[in-house]
């Protein structure tokens, strides 16, 4: 990260994110490590955020591999803010990610934070496969080929969504307790290895 971002602080973060944050960062936010990239950034491989890392990109961010944030618990999570467009091959989203432009995921977008955090997209959210399992998701428009979720209300947005029947679309090694939930670490490993996740 050091070669692509410069360290910053909560004051600068609040200035840049005034239109994005619901609640500004406190002045004594020493638990967070703030880093800033001014200008577009393109990364060739996978990119993983660390716990308590707050990354701000003032421009477009492109990750040619799998982009994944950090979520261990409510107190140890990362935050990513892209003031532009975000494009990734795959995205594993377990904490707060906000994109002011469009979010384009070429392959699989997996979002799960136990309903604690938000994936917010100011423009169009598009993905070949979108797996939502307990995450707040906001967008202006949505374009997904396959939506897999545990929330029946998604049918109002995507009538053909696969709701709860994970075993019909995902292989057994990605599922726990008789197909009742998704094993996020196993899914992440498959995405990092470039393996398909649909049956």
């Amino acid at each position: 990260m050091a070669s692509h971002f410069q360290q910053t602080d909560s004051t600068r973060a609040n200035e840049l994110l005034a239109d994005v944050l619901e609640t500004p960062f406190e002045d004594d936010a020493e638990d967070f490590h703030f880093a800033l990239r001014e200008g577009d950034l393109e990364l060739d491989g996978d990119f993983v955020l660390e716990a308590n890392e707050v990354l701000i990109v003032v421009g477009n961010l492109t990750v040619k591999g799998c982009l994944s944030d950090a979520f261990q618990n409510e107190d140890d999570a990362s935050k990513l803010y892209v003031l532009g467009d975000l494009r990734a091959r795959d995205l594993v989203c377990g904490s707060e990610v906000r994109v002011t432009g469009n979010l384009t995921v070429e392959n699989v977008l997996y979002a799960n934070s136990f309903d604690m955090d938000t994936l917010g997209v100011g423009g169009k959210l598009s993905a070949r496969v979108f797996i939502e399992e307990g995450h707040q998701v906001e967008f202006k428009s949505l374009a997904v080929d396959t939506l897999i979720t545990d929330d029946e209300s998604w049918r109002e947005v995507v009538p053909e969504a696969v709701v709860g029947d994970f075993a019909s679309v995902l292989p057994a090694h990605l599922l726990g307790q008789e197909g009742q939930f998704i094993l996020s670490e196993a899914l992440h490993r498959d995405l990092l290895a470039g393996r398909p996740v649909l049956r």
Side-chain angles (χ1 to χ4, degrees):
M1 177 191 80
S3 62
H4 301 294
F5 291 85
Q6 295 181 331
Q7 285 190 340
T8 189
D9 57 24
S10 61
T11 301
R12 181 69 174 135
N14 287 334
E15 290 172 359
L16 291 168
L17 303 175
D19 295 332
V20 176
L21 293 176
E22 293 178 4
T23 305
F25 292 104
E26 299 293 332
D27 291 337
D28 61 348
E30 65 261 0
D31 290 342
F32 289 118
H33 307 286
F34 295 88
L36 171 64
R37 166 69 181 216
E38 297 195 75
D40 296 346
L41 176 59
E42 184 173 300
L43 301 170
D44 284 332
D46 302 321
F47 186 64
V48 180
L49 280 77
E50 301 293 329
N52 301 322
E53 189 170 55
V54 179
L55 296 186
I56 304 167
V57 178
V58 182
N60 300 321
L61 174 61
T62 301
V63 179
K64 294 187 176 179
C66 181
L67 169 62
S68 51
D69 58 12
F71 180 84
Q72 280 81 49
N73 55 59
E74 193 172 3
D75 297 321
D76 293 306
S78 63
K79 297 179 185 295
L80 173 64
Y81 302 96
V82 179
L83 306 183
D85 295 332
L86 170 58
R87 176 180 290 273
R89 186 197 71 203
D90 297 292
L91 173 58
V92 176
C93 180
S95 58
E96 182 167 347
V97 174
R98 294 198 179 264
V99 180
T100 60
N102 299 318
L103 169 61
T104 304
V105 180
E106 296 167 10
N107 189 31
V108 177
L109 164 58
Y110 175 65
N112 184 358
S113 69
F114 309 102
D115 292 315
M116 292 183 184
D117 283 302
T118 300
L119 168 61
V121 181
K124 183 177 184 179
L125 187 163
S126 57
R128 189 176 69 81
V129 178
F130 179 23
I131 304 171
E132 187 282 321
E133 190 187 25
H135 202 86
Q136 301 296 319
V137 183
E138 302 168 353
F139 48 81
K140 186 173 184 181
S141 63
L142 180 70
V144 296
D145 294 341
T146 302
L147 173 63
I148 303 165
T149 180
D150 59 358
D151 184 348
E152 184 71 34
S153 68
W154 273 101
R155 288 197 193 276
E156 298 171 13
V157 183
V158 182
E160 66 276 15
V162 177
V163 180
D165 189 13
F166 297 139
S168 69
V169 287
L170 299 173
H173 75 278
L174 298 181
L175 303 176
Q177 283 189 350
E178 300 178 357
Q180 295 300 307
F181 63 90
I182 298 168
L183 299 173
S184 58
E185 290 183 7
L187 177 65
H188 191 191
R189 280 194 301 271
D190 277 10
L191 293 177
L192 288 171
R195 290 191 287 267
V197 299
L198 297 183
R199 292 174 63 99

